[in-house]
Amino acid sequence: MTRVRVYKGQRMIVLDGPEGVLRTIPMGLGFAPEGHKQFEGDGRTPEGSYVIDRRNPESLFHLSIGISYPNEADIAYAKAQGRSPGGDIFIHGGPRPGIDPTNKRDWTAGCIAVSDREIEDIYAMVKNGTPIDIYS
């Protein structure tokens, strides 16, 4: 089974297979890339262990695969602060005009952005239920 590792500080996605690393892909992040996503609208990309839980072939950003954020701990923390944890975190393609995610620009609202060609490959390689670990 494929496994996904995301290294926010290195702006790198690593796709692992049973035999080791299959592919490394440069990426962009949310507009506030430091720290774990805590609240809706904070512009951060989550950190922690999640799973790929949905696919959107009709995404506004070419293609997208969903990340299971928020988990129970994320929800509990935000609720304790009287806030919403947010949601709809994806790996997607389709950067806005003039934005190149391989240039390490962080432009999403908390998602992980790659080129259209790269999301096509990820979409084909990563199935629902695939574990994804996101590190700072």
Side-chain angles (χ1 to χ4, degrees), residues 107-131:
W107 59 272
T108 76
C111 294
I112 297 165
V114 297
S115 73
D116 286 352
R117 175 68 187 152
E118 289 159 339
I119 192 59
E120 289 169 6
D121 291 345
I122 295 168
Y123 198 90
M125 295 172 73
V126 175
K127 306 302 179 204
N128 288 0
T130 299

Side-chain angles (χ1 to χ4, degrees), residues 1 10 14 19 31 39 45 55 60 62-63 106 110 123:
M1 172 186 251
Q10 296 174 312
V14 179
E19 305 292 320
F31 61 81
F39 307 117
T45 302
R55 309 165 78 65
L60 295 175
H62 191 55
L63 294 171
D106 299 318
Y123 198 90

Side-chain angles (χ1 to χ4, degrees), residues 48-116:
S49 296
Y50 299 93
V51 296
I52 300 302
D53 65 352
R54 60 202 183 277
R55 309 165 78 65
N56 185 0
E58 303 297 322
S59 172
L60 295 175
F61 298 102
H62 191 55
L63 294 171
S64 63
I65 57 173
I67 298 171
S68 62
Y69 175 87
N71 62 27
E72 289 180 20
D74 298 321
I75 293 166
Y77 179 81
K79 185 176 180 180
Q81 305 300 312
R83 311 257 319 258
S84 165
D88 287 335
I89 301 298
F90 291 86
I91 300 173
H92 62 67
R96 297 175 182 150
I99 302 294
D100 176 6
T102 62
N103 195 20
K104 300 184 181 178
R105 288 182 155 178
D106 299 318
W107 59 272
T108 76
C111 294
I112 297 165
V114 297
S115 73
D116 286 352

Side-chain angles (χ1 to χ4, degrees), residues 6 8 36 45-50 67 71 132-136:
V6 174
K8 291 172 49 175
H36 173 59
T45 302
E47 296 173 2
S49 296
Y50 299 93
I67 298 171
N71 62 27
I132 178 168
D133 294 304
I134 306 171
Y135 304 98
S136 59

